[in-house]
Amino acid sequence: MSDTVHTPAGPPVVGNVSRFTDDPLRVLTGLQEAYSGQYPLVRLDPPVGQPFTVVLDSEVVHQILADRDRFQRPALGPEAQRRQGLLSSDGMLWEQQRSVLQPEFVGGNLAEYADIASETVEEMLASWPETGQLDIHEELSVLTMRVITQSLFSRDTDRAQASAVHDAMGTFADEFELDLVDVVLPEQLQSGPSEEFEDADRLIEDVAREFVEWHRRQANPPDDMLTALIEAKADPSIELSDNELIDEAVLFMVGGQETTALTITYAFHWLSQHPEARRKVIDEANAVLGGESPGWSDLSELTYTEQVVRETLRLTPAVWNLTREVQDNTELAGGSLEAGEFLFMSPYAHHRDSRIWTDPKSFRPERWAGEVSRSINSYFPFGSGPRVCIGKQIALTEAQFTLAHVLQHFDVVVEQEQLDLHPGITLRPSGPVQASITAHEQ
């Protein structure tokens, strides 16, 4: 493999950047397929603004994600620039926030979160008709919003509130759609956020603020994530402003809702295209659960369902691209990088590399039964290194429980054979995902 940074040929003036902005998923997978065996890094060099580099070698990806000193998460877009929670901060602020929150995502708490997920799915199913149609993405967004607020904030969310947040995330997706201006122009020349974005941002912030204020009013607040943050705020050794507390609630609320809802939505889509796989999930759910709600002890028995979730995250990862900014001029994989240069690392593209994966575009959950390792370098749907998604286990558990619990009671068939995917903040469908539901005979 060459130790230089390669710049592929492109049309004059705008160069290869224009192709990237027209269809980033296609370009990223194309670069991965064409050059990953030759170059660890490929640079796209616009005529104005900073160049950016696509990282094609998975070992280099993990090296970058592990090095928070040389490569930091940039504040791209108005939401990231104004929020300073664990999901978007860096440096000392990130270290303080991570140390406070890490205990909320381990041990017995995970079993409690699993019970919450199971009970909330049960309530969702009780509201479904025996036959009908629904937007499965919105339905799952309401579900995951309820699960995340009960788990981390000790408060349930009503359907209207959860649907409003779902719609606001759609507005965010529209705002962050990659176009030529986002990549080519320097930040100071880009247009500011739209009025629709500001309205959506205010709505989400108001929801999060209400959760925080409710906690503060409690004489005996619940033992949860928000309480941990509020108590940490009183510690003079930890710098945590009121705005950062709200930011944390916002980022966990929307992050926990959006990515998990998308994963489960895409799993139903893939299972609709592969009825034999859907049948295996149903059979496993019936054998393990016997019509009952899943519990923490059932998780290890839902092995095929876990494989479905992992394969869904391979083909349609909600987090389709990770970006880091080079802090100082540096050397990486034999090439020179400039301070301010952006590094793009796409799970979507790495997960489809034919040098790594057999039959990479096919949905084959069975590959996770032994053909590939869970620790394979080219698989990183939750990121890697110190910034690996803190809620990874909650998301995996909720996805497994939801698929098994739903499919043992209902047949769910997504009507679209192909989904129009929108690569914005997350990899989101461009419109409603209509599904037909039919209750199984008892």
Side-chain angles (χ1 to χ4, degrees), residues 52-109:
F52 58 97
T53 294
V54 181
V55 184
L56 305 181
D57 187 313
S58 60
E59 291 188 7
V60 178
V61 167
H62 292 285
Q63 180 183 343
I64 292 167
L65 295 177
D67 191 341
R68 293 193 302 111
D69 293 326
R70 289 198 296 163
F71 312 106
Q72 294 189 4
R73 180 171 179 162
L76 295 177
E79 184 67 8
Q81 291 165 6
R82 70 183 65 183
R83 301 286 177 209
Q84 283 294 312
L86 179 68
L87 305 184
S88 62
S89 61
D90 224 311
M92 182 61 69
L93 175 61
W94 178 87
E95 291 179 4
Q96 290 177 336
Q97 292 168 332
R98 185 89 181 196
S99 66
V100 170
L101 295 178
Q102 185 69 54
E104 300 298 318
F105 294 88
V106 297
N109 286 344

Side-chain angles (χ1 to χ4, degrees), residues 150-224:
Q150 289 178 87
S151 298
L152 301 185
F153 306 159
S154 301
R155 293 281 306 281
D156 202 351
T157 311
D158 62 38
R159 185 177 186 89
Q161 194 175 54
S163 292
V165 172
H166 169 78
D167 292 341
M169 289 304 297
T171 300
F172 282 6
D174 292 340
E175 190 81 8
F176 283 91
E177 184 174 9
L178 286 171
D179 60 28
L180 191 59
V181 173
D182 292 326
V183 178
V184 172
L185 287 182
E187 181 181 319
Q188 61 268 28
L189 298 181
Q190 296 181 22
S191 60
S194 67
E195 184 176 339
E196 291 78 11
F197 172 89
E198 296 290 2
D199 289 343
D201 186 65
R202 273 191 297 272
L203 182 148
I204 289 176
E205 183 169 312
D206 287 346
V207 172
R209 188 180 301 277
E210 195 279 327
F211 284 119
V212 172
E213 291 177 351
W214 179 85
H215 272 71
R216 283 175 162 161
R217 292 194 300 267
Q218 305 309 303
N220 296 299
D223 183 11
D224 61 15

Side-chain angles (χ1 to χ4, degrees), residues 112-353:
E112 293 180 16
Y113 300 157
D115 289 341
I116 289 171
S118 183
E119 292 166 7
T120 309
V121 172
E122 186 73 32
E123 293 169 6
M124 177 185 74
L125 295 179
S127 71
W128 283 9
E130 290 193 0
T131 61
Q133 289 187 324
L134 45 76
D135 177 354
I136 195 68
H137 181 208
E138 180 175 3
E139 195 73 11
L140 293 169
S141 292
V142 172
L143 170 75
T144 54
M145 174 75 169
R146 293 186 60 204
V147 171
I148 202 70
T149 59
Q150 289 178 87
S151 298
L152 301 185
F153 306 159
S154 301
R155 293 281 306 281
D156 202 351
T157 311
D158 62 38
R159 185 177 186 89
Q161 194 175 54
S163 292
V165 172
H166 169 78
D167 292 341
M169 289 304 297
T171 300
F172 282 6
D174 292 340
E175 190 81 8
F176 283 91
E177 184 174 9
L178 286 171
D179 60 28
L180 191 59
V181 173
D182 292 326
V183 178
V184 172
L185 287 182
E187 181 181 319
Q188 61 268 28
L189 298 181
Q190 296 181 22
S191 60
S194 67
E195 184 176 339
E196 291 78 11
F197 172 89
E198 296 290 2
D199 289 343
D201 186 65
R202 273 191 297 272
L203 182 148
I204 289 176
E205 183 169 312
D206 287 346
V207 172
R209 188 180 301 277
E210 195 279 327
F211 284 119
V212 172
E213 291 177 351
W214 179 85
H215 272 71
R216 283 175 162 161
R217 292 194 300 267
Q218 305 309 303
N220 296 299
D223 183 11
D224 61 15
M225 189 193 83
L226 275 185
T227 298
L229 284 169
I230 291 170
E231 290 176 352
K233 189 176 182 300
D235 185 339
S237 68
I238 295 179
E239 298 179 7
L240 187 65
S241 69
D242 283 342
N243 285 340
E244 287 162 359
L245 185 60
I246 299 295
D247 291 349
E248 202 71 77
V250 167
L251 292 168
F252 270 95
M253 185 174 68
V254 299
Q257 176 200 39
E258 174 80 351
T259 55
T260 309
L262 287 169
T263 297
I264 306 170
T265 297
Y266 294 145
F268 278 123
H269 163 70
W270 288 115
L271 291 173
S272 298
Q273 301 306 308
H274 299 272
E276 73 289 351
R278 185 169 76 245
R279 184 70 253 172
K280 288 183 180 180
V281 174
I282 294 170
D283 291 344
E284 180 176 78
N286 289 336
V288 174
L289 306 178
E292 300 298 322
S293 300
W296 181 252
S297 61
D298 298 315
L299 195 63
S300 62
E301 301 298 318
L302 296 170
T303 55
Y304 187 75
T305 308
E306 179 190 1
Q307 293 166 19
V308 166
V309 173
R310 292 187 180 278
E311 185 72 346
T312 297
L313 286 165
R314 185 184 70 83
L315 283 171
T316 40
V319 180
W320 63 279
N321 185 62
L322 301 168
T323 307
R324 293 294 183 266
E325 185 176 6
V326 179
Q327 297 305 294
D328 298 294
N329 293 349
T330 191
E331 298 292 314
L332 179 69
S336 298
L337 301 176
E338 299 178 2
E341 188 169 345
F342 289 150
L343 305 177
F344 284 16
M345 297 158 284
S346 173
Y348 184 94
H350 278 264
H351 294 178
R352 292 164 178 259
D353 189 337

Side-chain angles (χ1 to χ4, degrees), residues 405-418:
H405 201 173
V406 169
L407 288 175
Q408 72 168 336
H409 294 294
F410 282 85
D411 213 18
V412 177
V413 179
V414 174
E415 297 173 355
Q416 296 105 304
E417 289 189 9
Q418 289 190 330

